[in-house]
Amino acid sequence: MSDIIKKDKQSVVNFKPRARLLIQLGDQLIKNESIALVELVKNSYDADANKVDIYMENAEDPDNGIIIIEDDGFGMSPEIVENVWLEPGADFKNTLIKQNIVSPKYNRLPIGEKGIGRFGVHKLGNIIELTTKSEDTNEVYVKINWDDFNNYKYLEEVPITIVERASPEHFKEGKTGTNIVISKLRKKWERGIAREIKRSITALASPFENNDSFLPTFDIIDKPGWFDGLLNWEDVKDYSLFRFKVTMNDNSITDFEYAFTPWSTMTKLFPREVGINDNLIETFKTLKYKNDLGKEETFSLSNYKIGKVIFEGYVFDQDPFLLKMGVSDKVGFKKYLKSNGGVKVFRDGLRVYDYGEPENDWLNLDFRRFQQPTKAISNNLILGAVYLDRKDSSDLTEKTNREGFVENDAYKAFRNSILHSLDIVETLRLTDKKRLKEIYGPTPKSAPLASTLNEAKNYVEDKIKDSEVKTQIIKYLNKIEGDYKKVSENLLKAAGAGLSMSVVVHEVEKILYEVEKVLKSEKASDRVLKLVTHLSSLIDGYAEIIRKSSQTTENISQVIDQSLFNTEYRLMSHKVEIIKQYKLYKGNSKLKIAKNLLIGTIMNIIDNAIYWLDQKSFISTEKKETYIKKLFINITEDQNFLYLIIADNGTGFLIPTDDITEPFVSAKPGGMGLGLHIASEIMEAQNGRIIFPNEGDFEVPEEFKKGATVVLSFKK
């Protein structure tokens, strides 16, 4: 039997798009009616339109309802309708973008680029009638019934008739533009949907900028009352208390404006403005973000095609005690912020969806607020806008489904730049917010429970005559006070240990790294034994922090030694020079203190100093200035107090020291703001206090006078 040689068969075939593909594009790529209309409005923008009028009739009757979109743009010629408008995925606009070809009247680069947005009309209705006219061409009329697409198997089989009118019926007297009529609506429109569409169309352009060159409108002719009571930007803008505008380019903030704007009814407060030359802005001018390991890294927008980023916003306060000072429609005000609040993105003045929509918390503002309730700004407290230039931001590519940008490296840099500047704004706002609450908020009480208990005791003493009942009540009040103090002390112990844990991790990591290095280079020499001994001592030092914090008589100088020993490798790795002036102190350095808690407090102050020394070092490096990071520690005394002075030559305090021991107050980006608050509580629990002295109050060397000085004061 002879072998039969078989040959491979090759055939050239083509993709055959099904007729229903266009219906699927409209249904699945366009999320809702708002997005569908916005896509059509974008087409009008790209056509150099000055105005776009959208109006409806019979919105509640799908069979008889119509939607009309009409613009005064440059329209389309018969060739463009056939070869671009009727070609799904056409790259016509994308080519214009790549070649930087702008529109003739308003010099606009196209916003749309995918070539599929126009098919979102299927989301709105089954019949579309397009009438369009460009200059020096015939008026073009096209009618499409989407139901017809179900009668054909393949897209190329569906007949589309283009009518060229030598005598225009719609765009007469030399007018140009495009008119789209959508009928046989897909759903019954109700008042809520219509109001949501109105909000979306209004939000297409930034409320902060007057853009008279593009004015979209939306109305329902036979339902004029459907939009009654809708607040607009002009109704709420004067209720903001803080506003800002930040410009970022390359790797830094290039311009910065912040203003605290109290209402006219707040006569006890004065406006405040902060500019680019402020010390806080100077310190954080360079763009930074925290990587997955929590370490700060610098980045630059110029590594990508992003261009200049401008971020501006108005920030509000919804606390009831403030609203009663000037907001008449409190319910409407809160509803407006709930549905309109957040940070929106605009490219060449036109909105990029769906940033700033209620369901898209793209900056995680609400989560940040949960983490830092006093400092962070949530979506319902800010009306913000980010501006991009279309020609410079080509690395920010919109997703096909119109739900923001593709989350590539360029997007991450863009997002991080917004968060970096927002953190600075939040730090500035915190100071003004504290002033607001001190003057117009509920009466502040430093120890509310203790204060209330004392008032209750006094009331019982004065008003209750029955001595047995009086004795019983006071006994219970004393028990409540005792239990409260016990719980507070336990919380302080836990907090003191918790504060030190991050430093423990740093220390152990550094030492283990050193051990590994030594093992490789010295082949287990005596140095290894010393490092292991150091590690053992270090763990003992941290165990001491977690032990019972009863007060014992301790040598303050030795407590400082232990604190420095615990942070030794961290200080070494950050190249911080320590000036141990306290070693020269000759007086009595014995104090009755809770040693473990005090060690935790000193370590926390050192940890803060290291961070701000690093910031100063970074700025000095950029300016090509010589700088050595230093920490100065000294002990002094007067007749009644012993003082432990810790000073650095870093940036100094960037927020008022009156605020700095309040919980959740921090100038450090992403900082919880609990360290100095707990340190202050610990000092008060030991009949001491934490002091942030003015220049001249305590003697420190000249080079430390512009840095931060913290003094721990102990009663002898």
Side-chain angles (χ1 to χ4, degrees), residues 212-252:
D212 294 334
S213 67
F214 189 64
L215 302 168
T217 63
F218 175 64
D219 207 353
I220 298 181
I221 293 172
D222 52 349
K223 296 288 182 182
W226 273 18
F227 301 132
D228 288 352
L230 267 181
L231 290 177
N232 59 42
W233 169 238
E234 294 301 322
D235 297 323
V236 301
K237 67 179 293 189
D238 291 336
Y239 293 138
S240 71
L241 286 164
F242 318 91
R243 66 173 183 265
F244 64 89
K245 189 170 185 177
V246 187
T247 303
M248 291 162 282
N249 210 348
D250 295 333
N251 68 340
S252 69

Side-chain angles (χ1 to χ4, degrees), residues 76 82 108 143 174 217 240 373 376 379 383 394 396 408 441-442 453 483 503 512 608 619 641 669 691 709:
M76 291 181 281
E82 181 180 353
R108 297 171 183 164
K143 182 176 180 178
T217 63
S240 71
N379 282 294
L383 288 171
S394 57
L396 296 174
N408 53 22
L453 285 170
D483 289 346
V503 189
L512 289 177
N608 281 344
I619 294 168
F641 295 93
I691 301 170
T709 300

Side-chain angles (χ1 to χ4, degrees), residues 19-33 35-37 39 88 115-125 146 186 400-402:
R20 63 192 182 98
L21 176 65
L22 294 191
I23 298 173
Q24 291 174 316
L25 281 174
D27 266 342
Q28 296 176 25
L29 289 180
I30 307 297
K31 186 166 65 173
N32 54 39
E33 290 79 12
I35 299 292
L37 280 172
E39 286 300 314
I116 60 172
R118 71 187 70 100
F119 300 108
V121 292
H122 179 260
K123 200 86 175 177
L124 302 169
W146 295 110
R186 295 284 303 280
T400 304
N401 63 4
R402 297 307 191 266

